[in-house]
Amino acid sequence: MASLIFQGPDAHSGQIMTPARCDRCGARANLEAELDNGVLTFCRHHGRQYFQALLTAGARLFEYPVS
Ligand SMILES: [Zn+2]
């Protein structure tokens, strides 16, 4: 049962407090990267993996509060 997984129609349309999913693996995201052409979300694992590349790309990074 995946009852804790949020399945809103549009998880990241501006609300940083909305639980989102990792764009790479679908796990619960804890990092949001805002780029000029959109927003990407990553889980802890992929956030760490792409962190340096995102900074290099000029992304603004936000961490979701861990609950
Ligand atoms: Zn991931």
Side-chain angles (χ1 to χ4, degrees), residues 37-56:
N37 57 351
V39 174
L40 297 170
T41 51
F42 297 102
C43 66
R44 183 175 292 279
H45 172 78
H46 285 111
R48 198 173 296 163
Q49 185 175 338
Y50 292 107
F51 193 79
Q52 201 58 50
L54 289 166
L55 283 182
T56 304

Side-chain angles (χ1 to χ4, degrees), residues 7 13-14 18-20 28 33-34 37 40 42 44 48 50 57 59-60 62-63 67:
Q7 290 192 317
S13 56
T18 306
R28 185 167 177 158
E34 204 178 286
N37 57 351
L40 297 170
F42 297 102
R44 183 175 292 279
R48 198 173 296 163
Y50 292 107
R60 292 173 291 278
F62 303 95
E63 225 174 318
S67 54

